[in-house]
Amino acid sequence: MKNFKIKLIIILGLILSFSCEDYLDQAPESTLDQEEVFSTFKNAQGFVEEMYASVVDYGTSAHTFQDYIYGDDAYGNRTWKASYQIDFGNLNAVARHRYSYLWNWQSAEYGTNNANINQANASRRPGLWDGSLRGIRKANIVIASVEQDGLMVDATQEERDVILGQAYFFRAFFHNEIMKFYGRFPYIKEVLVGDFAIPRPETYKECALEANEDYKRAIELLPLNWDDEAYGQLTFGENKGRLTKGVAYAFQGKNLLLAGSPLMHGNNKSINTYEYDTELCNMAVDAFAGILKLDDQGFYDLATWENYDEVFWKTPTPNSWPGSTEFVFSAPGGNQAQAQRFMTAGIDRDIHGRNGSEIVSPTHNFIHQNFGMSNGLSIEDDLSGQYGPTLYDPLNPFDNRDPRFYKWIVIDGEVFGTKASIPAKHRVAQLFTGGEHRSTGSDNQPSTTGYMHKKFYPIIDGEFHSKWNRIIDQYTGVRLHMRLTDVYLMYAEALHAAKGATTAPASYPLTAEAAINLFRSRAGIPDVHPSIVSNSNKFMDELRRERSVELSYEAHRWVDIRRWGVAHEIEYRRKTSFEFPQDHSSYTENLLVERVCEFPKHYWLPFEAKQTQIYEGFPQNPGW
């Protein structure tokens, strides 16, 4: 028996989550040996809780500044931001940036206190790299202890199953978190002790298939609903964030779709943005079908347009989970103050009054390319005249737009509030060049681009939260790792890549075309035009545009434009602002930065040099 010395760090005061005090009565940082840890279900689950705490919340883990959007969709001009370093191709700096969720915050102290794992301060917990490696190790300890060493003998079969199911899921999940940013990575399936050598696999697919086996095992072992299980009664009503079969199906599909995407399929040698691994995409479709069937059974449901805010911020009580019926999985999150910094990241600080919150300005290039018109067409397709009457007017660019443009983007002239307590200069958005809410280029507090975003920002009866009208304390916003809209979008992408837009798979009776039209119908715009559906590449472009709109400002963009193999193309490298005078008599697109992105160098973060120098067989990512 290995007899690991396992330190159990108690996770106290979980915000937006469950408390493991119900599972573990040990004092903080008590050291227990392997037999004690896995002597009871309560103790074992207490150890598993540490894996939940290692899931990085992208929106609140980057110190106190919400620099979490790394794609072409937002702009910040402060040089210390991780997104700024990405813009200029300094990925070595990004990979170990003290303010980035990818790396550990500067004052995390492992092994000395609870700071790195305490939910009351998300930015002090491990970053994605270190947290994922720790999570993988903990998962392997659980699997080895229960399966190989035969511990938990006094637990019921159901209790042993759920402990193992969580471990198998997390082993796959944490590998996936590293793979999204670093590429192919050794799949670690044992507790590493002493000297070891794990060669880097030749392809991303190899690791993804290993993860797929773990997700399949997790699906077998996890429950549909914790509240329906005897062990779930210990935390009845507080189990929303726990792993279930539905969660495992969703991430199994995501793992396979990413592995089948053009970048991974080309294996860093070449990219055809429309060429996917169809075998992996078919597997992904079948995995997504698993959770879509649970949607049909009432476990999940797409939010209605009227209730869509409940997915992002409109929670029934402060500190409760957002996500509504679309919730699939999220990091536990930080405290209310951290959540508020995230929620206010798209709005001028002078309005909301949250010190320590940096504005994230939506770029004009992203909005113009993706947020289309009320007729369901992109601006480019609308202007082409090939699909009916043209709606876009270059002299009135904010008119006749997709309803999601108005729902999530703040434009010039929008009313912030009418209450007498609000200063006159902050009652209406002044986003014209030189306006009250436009940056001079030095302070970066107002918008730098001519837009703000309000996806996570509380607005009640047309009144925005402000420091003169405090409503934010009633709600909690969180960026979810997975929600049902994302599942449908990935299902549609994988299905179209494998079988086309109009063919349903044997595993679920929904075509890619029908899946995408669900969101268009929700927003009140027409279905995808038949001429677009009949053109395979054109429909893929439309599918990607739909994903870009629906998941805007949810930190998926940088992963998406890389896996699609388009990040180095000029339209994804140019970040622009929209310049116009107060009277809107003219409009000019202004280049803010042309991002540095070479294929394949800037598609993957570089490993630390010491990681690649330990032994032969672990090559650095290309170009570094």
Side-chain angles (χ1 to χ4, degrees), residues 426-622:
H426 290 311
R427 292 180 187 174
V428 177
Q430 300 182 47
L431 291 167
F432 55 86
T433 304
E436 178 68 29
H437 305 118
R438 281 298 294 270
S439 174
T440 61
S442 59
D443 55 14
N444 196 35
Q445 295 315 312
S447 170
T448 54
T449 64
Y451 303 95
M452 297 181 191
H453 84 82
K454 55 185 176 180
K455 196 168 196 178
F456 299 92
Y457 201 85
I459 305 169
I460 299 295
D461 296 329
E463 298 279 334
F464 281 58
H465 159 77
S466 72
K467 57 188 175 184
W468 309 279
N469 176 36
R470 290 198 64 83
I471 58 177
I472 198 170
D473 296 336
Q474 303 171 48
Y475 306 103
T476 301
V478 168
R479 178 262 179 197
L480 303 180
H481 272 274
M482 182 72 72
R483 62 186 182 95
L484 192 61
T485 288
D486 191 7
V487 172
Y488 274 98
L489 288 165
M490 290 189 291
Y491 169 87
E493 181 181 348
L495 179 56
H496 178 56
K499 298 183 185 301
T502 58
T503 301
S507 55
Y508 194 71
L510 186 71
T511 67
E513 177 191 13
I516 292 305
N517 286 335
L518 288 173
F519 307 116
R520 298 163 76 91
S521 177
R522 172 167 65 183
I525 61 174
D527 291 350
V528 181
H529 195 282
S531 296
I532 294 176
V533 175
S534 63
N535 183 322
S536 179
N537 289 355
K538 187 70 175 174
F539 182 73
M540 182 62 80
D541 292 340
E542 190 68 1
L543 190 154
R544 291 173 179 176
R545 187 175 72 85
E546 195 70 27
R547 178 176 178 83
S548 300
V549 171
E550 281 288 343
L551 300 183
S552 57
Y553 309 109
E554 297 180 46
H556 295 283
R557 180 68 172 177
W558 195 43
V559 173
D560 283 340
I561 62 176
R562 288 168 39 245
R563 71 180 179 88
W564 294 334
V566 297
H568 65 290
E569 296 179 2
I570 188 63
E571 67 179 282
Y572 301 93
R573 288 193 286 115
R574 298 179 77 252
K575 288 188 175 185
T576 64
S577 64
F578 210 27
E579 305 298 332
F580 50 93
Q582 187 172 5
D583 64 2
H584 289 215
S585 59
S586 64
Y587 298 89
T588 304
E589 184 176 14
N590 177 57
L591 180 64
L592 296 171
V593 64
E594 186 169 307
R595 308 180 92 193
V596 175
C597 184
E598 302 171 5
F599 172 77
K601 179 177 181 180
H602 295 103
Y603 273 74
W604 301 112
L605 293 178
F607 293 98
E608 277 190 290
K610 66 181 181 181
Q611 298 288 339
T612 65
Q613 295 169 358
I614 297 174
Y615 52 83
E616 293 183 6
F618 199 103
Q620 180 59 277
N621 275 325

Side-chain angles (χ1 to χ4, degrees), residues 229-387:
E229 304 296 331
Y231 51 76
Q233 297 300 304
L234 291 168
T235 47
F236 184 83
E238 300 177 4
N239 291 317
K240 184 174 182 178
R242 296 194 184 279
L243 298 179
T244 63
K245 291 185 189 297
V247 180
Y249 276 127
F251 281 94
Q252 179 193 20
K254 182 175 182 176
N255 167 59
L256 292 165
L257 173 60
L258 264 61
S261 294
L263 172 66
M264 294 72 162
H265 183 49
N267 202 28
N268 300 325
K269 295 179 174 61
S270 63
I271 305 179
N272 175 347
T273 190
Y274 299 112
E275 185 175 316
Y276 288 70
D277 184 319
T278 56
E279 176 190 12
L280 290 177
C281 286
N282 273 312
M283 293 168 64
V285 167
D286 291 342
F288 290 130
I291 184 173
L292 295 183
K293 290 173 184 175
L294 295 178
D295 175 18
D296 294 341
Q297 296 171 35
F299 287 92
Y300 306 94
D301 194 19
L302 287 175
T304 64
W305 184 251
E306 293 72 22
N307 296 323
Y308 212 2
D309 289 339
E310 295 176 9
V311 173
F312 308 112
W313 61 268
K314 200 172 185 180
T315 51
T317 59
N319 296 334
S320 62
W321 285 101
S324 187
T325 55
E326 288 207 12
F327 180 94
V328 178
F329 186 66
S330 175
N335 60 18
Q336 187 72 357
Q338 284 291 103
Q340 289 182 8
R341 292 186 181 101
F342 167 72
M343 296 164 74
T344 58
I347 303 292
D348 185 348
R349 184 192 293 180
D350 285 348
I351 295 172
H352 59 72
R354 281 292 329 176
N355 291 328
S357 183
E358 297 290 330
I359 189 170
V360 178
S361 300
T363 55
H364 177 64
N365 53 281
F366 176 76
I367 290 174
H368 186 80
Q369 291 164 13
N370 295 290
F371 282 87
M373 307 304 296
S374 60
N375 58 13
L377 297 171
S378 68
I379 291 176
E380 180 183 7
D381 286 340
D382 179 74
L383 287 174
S384 74
Q386 298 178 32
Y387 307 98

